[in-house]
Amino acid sequence: MVMKMPSIFVKNARFLVTIDQTRRIIRDGSIAIDDGKIIDIGKTDKLQNNYGSSEIIIDAARHVIMPGLINTHCHTNHHLARGLADNVLFPTWIHERVYPFESTMNEHDVYLAAMACCIESIKTGSTCFIDPGGYNMEHAVKAVDESGMRAVLSRSAVDIHSNARAIPGKMREDTDNAANSSEQFVREYNGAAGGRVHAWFAPRTERMASTELLQRIKELAVKYETGITIHASSTQDSVLRHKEIFNGERPIERFNRAGLLGQNLLVGEANWLTDEEVSLIQKYDVKVFHIPTGSFHGAYGALQSKHLDMIKKGIAVGLGHDSAAESNFLDMFRVMYSVIARRDVNLDPTLAPPEQVLEMATINGARTALWENEIGSLEPGKRADLIIIDTMRPEWLPLHNPISNLVHSASGDSVSTVIIDGKVVMRDRIINTVDEQKMLMQIDEAGLSISERSGVSRYAIPRWPIS
Ligand SMILES: [Zn+2]
């Protein structure tokens, strides 16, 4: 049974940043919520009379209210490998660190890893993330459900094992198994957690999915009216290797031939695309996730990519952090800041204005999640996913321009209260849904244990001696 959510009135915000159609910013703003949805937004003195007796009243004086941030790429399965795969080339990263770690995880580890992502997301102001595929994902669904988070979750589909030496056993499926297991996950979990979980399909990378598998997944995604996410063209090497396997075709060209391109496809990191591939993405309204901080960590080339050009062409480009083994934090404020590195490499300080960056992390993230009708902005009728940010902090003052401060100055630590789907998930930095300290103890223990069991722990030491 779905319980009716309490009515909530958040009032007196110094600025309420709506990111609605007109990008309205309301000084002394308030927002009224009922049964999980936003029902009204406006000046506090206009709304006070109607909503002043709501069940929950939150005084947001000296705070900024904005839509919850949307992290369009978060590998829950990799999360507990934080710090185990730094300063290495990608083949080492994936084959010697991440695959052994991931394939050692048991079901409870998957739950704790996903819970760790949920807790870190909530504490830093993300209200939704997209997981691009893992295994035993029903346990990630459980973590998302319990934490109050919103997420797109998917089960990895892999049927090409060109580097069999390094591909763990459970990833060595044939086309039928990969498609059928993916379908089963979507059938069981799409719409789970009271609608907060959307289940998608996730062929893992361009080189790990056959054309037949891509075609079958496309048919299934259409059948279930859901999305598909896949890694493609993250590195120059990944494009070259793809061309070697597929008769010289580039990834997006093959996706086109397979019929995979469409409005329900989310592709990234997409750092190395030709103009022709960008045109195909635009033509088919394909969505794109951009991962600057993961690229900084692994040196993939995101600062040389065409993501800003894609935005100019109207393509939906969202931001993501990747995994904690790759961009070792989930704080989307730090990810937003990283986008402005474009200014430096191009010697152009007018690039990536903060309004554009904030759109990538909110409304455009919602477009990439195929969820823009319900989240990504604060507007009556949408689900109530919002964050309340404390501005009485040194990095926030003086507060001339809230959009500038959000992108250039803030960190996720300034998020004080988080509401997801009309539920107060965190209030004054205390998470209401789960016992954070107890979970963190278990998360730490699980990470160290998987590291030992997988043998990856030998990489867990600094180069300096520990006495
Ligand atoms: Zn990824």
Side-chain angles (χ1 to χ4, degrees):
M1 189 175 72
V2 178
M3 302 283 286
K4 184 182 182 303
M5 302 295 287
S7 60
I8 303 172
F9 185 46
V10 189
K11 62 180 185 178
N12 296 329
R14 186 165 175 180
F15 293 104
L16 194 156
V17 178
T18 63
I19 318 193
D20 65 6
Q21 293 290 320
T22 61
R23 303 296 189 259
R24 190 166 51 132
I25 300 171
I26 304 170
R27 204 187 283 274
D28 193 13
S30 290
I31 184 165
I33 297 162
D34 190 38
D35 204 19
K37 279 188 177 175
I38 298 166
I39 57 170
D40 211 347
I41 291 179
K43 294 273 192 190
T44 299
D45 58 3
K46 292 240 173 70
L47 269 61
Q48 175 70 33
N49 277 348
N50 286 343
Y51 307 107
S53 57
S54 297
E55 292 160 76
I56 298 172
I57 307 277
I58 297 175
D59 189 347
R62 299 186 179 279
H63 287 68
V64 166
I65 299 175
M66 65 167 288
L69 299 167
I70 297 172
N71 180 350
T72 63
H73 196 73
C74 171
H75 289 264
T76 59
N77 271 199
H78 297 170
H79 188 80
L80 301 184
R82 191 195 310 262
L84 294 177
D86 305 327
N87 286 120
V88 292
L89 293 172
F90 184 76
T92 304
W93 184 92
I94 193 76
H95 293 132
E96 296 180 23
R97 311 288 176 91
V98 172
Y99 281 163
F101 189 94
E102 180 182 1
S103 60
T104 301
M105 292 171 70
N106 61 37
E107 293 177 346
H108 192 56
D109 295 329
V110 170
Y111 165 78
L112 287 172
M115 182 61 80
C117 289
C118 293
I119 290 174
E120 191 171 343
S121 296
I122 292 165
K123 297 287 283 198
T124 54
S126 290
T127 54
C128 178
F129 63 70
I130 300 174
D131 186 318
Y135 296 93
N136 297 315
M137 291 301 286
E138 62 274 22
H139 300 278
V141 174
K142 183 169 181 278
V144 168
D145 189 9
E146 291 175 5
S147 67
M149 192 68 189
R150 183 187 299 281
V152 173
L153 301 174
S154 51
R155 195 238 187 234
S156 281
V158 174
D159 74 338
I160 294 181
H161 319 293
S162 51
N163 192 344
R165 169 186 71 86
I167 304 290
K170 69 177 161 190
M171 293 168 67
R172 282 188 227 139
E173 294 179 310
D174 61 20
T175 306
D176 278 341
N177 284 339
N180 293 340
S181 300
S182 300
E183 181 180 11
Q184 187 181 354
F185 180 76
V186 168
R187 195 169 52 226
E188 285 190 31
Y189 296 106
N190 196 21
R196 284 183 289 108
V197 167
H198 285 183
W200 281 17
F201 292 90
R204 187 169 273 210
T205 75
E206 72 270 71
R207 287 175 291 123
M208 299 174 86
S210 68
T211 302
E212 183 192 346
L213 180 60
L214 296 181
Q215 288 167 335
R216 287 182 59 175
I217 279 178
K218 174 71 177 204
E219 285 172 15
L220 288 167
V222 170
K223 176 182 171 186
Y224 288 95
E225 297 182 342
T226 192
I228 305 164
T229 187
I230 186 168
H231 298 82
S233 306
S234 299
T235 65
Q236 285 177 302
D237 185 58
S238 67
V239 175
L240 289 175
R241 301 265 306 276
H242 182 276
K243 289 172 74 174
E244 284 169 14
I245 299 169
F246 295 102
N247 300 321
E249 272 186 313
R250 297 180 65 89
I252 303 300
E253 292 170 348
R254 183 170 70 100
F255 294 175
N256 185 34
R257 183 168 56 81
L260 188 69
L261 302 183
Q263 63 77 33
N264 65 344
L265 178 66
L266 171 59
V267 67
E269 302 175 25
N271 290 325
W272 297 96
L273 301 180
T274 61
D275 289 341
E276 290 72 24
E277 287 177 300
V278 171
S279 294
L280 283 170
I281 283 172
Q282 182 182 19
K283 177 180 174 186
Y284 288 98
D285 190 21
V286 173
K287 316 300 189 291
V288 175
F289 63 85
H290 176 34
I291 311 293
T293 55
S295 183
F296 294 176
H297 186 265
Y300 303 157
L303 292 181
Q304 299 165 62
S305 70
K306 301 178 191 291
H307 290 99
L308 296 187
D309 297 330
M310 288 190 244
I311 292 171
K312 273 191 204 157
K313 292 174 186 290
I315 296 167
V317 178
L319 282 179
H321 90 285
D322 218 325
S323 79
E326 198 164 20
S327 160
N328 301 22
F329 56 84
L330 274 72
D331 183 346
M332 285 290 288
F333 286 88
R334 291 176 70 184
V335 175
M336 284 198 290
Y337 182 78
S338 71
V339 178
I340 76 167
R342 297 279 182 158
R343 299 176 193 167
D344 192 59
V345 292
N346 291 285
L347 301 177
D348 182 355
T350 68
L351 289 176
E355 291 82 2
Q356 183 182 67
V357 176
L358 204 58
E359 286 175 346
M360 294 169 80
T362 54
I363 190 66
N364 285 348
R367 286 174 67 196
T368 70
L370 309 178
W371 223 330
E372 72 270 31
N373 290 336
E374 294 196 286
I375 60 172
S377 61
L378 302 181
E379 300 176 70
K382 283 199 168 184
R383 305 304 300 174
D385 286 15
L386 57 100
I387 59 177
I388 305 173
I389 300 161
D390 182 6
T391 64
M392 288 306 287
R393 297 166 56 90
E395 75 273 21
W396 262 94
L397 301 173
L399 174 48
H400 301 294
N401 174 349
I403 309 303
S404 175
N405 283 17
L406 282 166
V407 172
H408 297 125
S409 314
S411 79
D413 290 346
S414 58
V415 175
S416 64
T417 294
V418 174
I419 297 175
I420 303 175
D421 215 38
K423 182 173 184 180
V424 183
V425 171
M426 181 170 81
R427 179 97 184 244
D428 297 329
R429 296 202 61 73
I430 306 292
I431 293 183
N432 296 328
T433 47
V434 296
D435 184 335
E436 181 184 346
Q437 288 307 311
K438 186 175 149 199
M439 282 295 168
L440 293 181
M441 295 284 284
Q442 292 182 30
I443 286 162
D444 188 29
E445 285 169 13
L448 298 179
S449 171
I450 304 162
S451 168
E452 280 298 322
R453 279 152 37 216
S454 63
V456 180
S457 58
R458 64 185 181 278
Y459 306 116
I461 50 175
R463 295 184 180 92
W464 294 346
I466 300 178
S467 59

